[in-house]
Amino acid sequence: MRNLIRIKEEEYFPQWEDDPVRPELDKQFRWNYNREVYALKREEEVDAVLCVAYTNLVPKTVEDLVDPMGKECAVFYTVWSYSKGAGREIVIKTWDFLKENKKEIKRYITLSPKTEMAYKFHTKNGAKLISENEMTDNYEYI
């Protein structure tokens, strides 16, 4: 069984460097006070990672994630997995966890690359395409 855990900055967690979607983002960016990192773990094995930012707007770029006053939108800005089905599972488990534990969040949005893979992944998992931007697409989980 895989468990969802929140990774704290001070923990040793080298998997953040494996990010295939946004490898340019450093550790400091991922663990800023309005951002969190979640992992799906099976014993000591990490099966998937999801990075979340909290904002008051639907971001069009990574720079839009720097909104220190935001708390209405949870933005899933990168996700990757090491095993089949784990990407879907971490998105759903994180979404469920946030709905239960962060009542101030009104929307669950992605900041996704403009790829067919991202489109298929999010729409298959219940999200709707809500915005096509120059460099990214936004999907919303409702």
Side-chain angles (χ1 to χ4, degrees):
M1 179 168 170
R2 297 188 268 220
N3 296 309
L4 181 70
I5 61 165
R6 182 174 161 243
I7 302 296
K8 296 184 177 96
E9 180 179 7
E10 62 272 7
E11 293 179 62
Y12 181 66
F13 187 69
Q15 287 87 352
W16 71 268
E17 295 178 327
D18 294 346
D19 185 347
V21 180
R22 295 200 161 71
E24 73 279 6
L25 299 179
D26 64 13
K27 184 177 178 180
Q28 182 179 355
F29 182 91
R30 294 167 197 274
W31 278 280
N32 188 291
Y33 74 96
N34 67 333
R35 292 184 281 277
E36 296 178 325
V37 177
Y38 290 87
L40 196 60
K41 289 184 84 172
R42 182 177 20 94
E43 295 177 19
E44 293 304 309
E45 290 294 315
V46 173
D47 286 334
V49 179
L50 177 70
C51 297
V52 182
Y54 302 100
T55 72
N56 281 336
L57 53 87
V58 175
K60 294 180 180 179
T61 66
V62 170
E63 291 76 26
D64 291 340
L65 296 177
V66 184
D67 178 6
M69 305 307 284
K71 294 295 179 201
E72 289 188 9
C73 295
V75 179
F76 301 163
Y77 66 91
T78 190
V79 61
W80 69 96
S81 68
Y82 299 99
S83 62
K84 187 170 176 60
R88 178 188 191 284
E89 187 176 344
I90 195 168
V91 168
I92 300 304
K93 282 187 173 182
T94 304
W95 183 27
D96 288 342
F97 173 81
L98 294 176
K99 285 189 293 187
E100 181 67 31
N101 294 285
K102 295 188 182 245
K103 303 289 187 191
E104 67 275 14
I105 297 172
K106 309 286 188 256
R107 300 179 77 185
Y108 299 88
I109 309 290
T110 74
L111 180 65
S112 299
K114 295 180 82 63
T115 64
E116 185 69 20
M117 184 172 140
Y119 175 82
K120 286 180 180 178
F121 177 83
H122 291 298
T123 57
K124 181 179 176 186
N125 292 316
K128 303 282 187 234
L129 179 63
I130 61 167
S131 179
E132 294 184 59
N133 311 305
E134 183 178 337
M135 304 288 288
T136 63
D137 287 334
N138 300 111
Y139 299 86
E140 185 164 9
Y141 285 83
I142 300 172

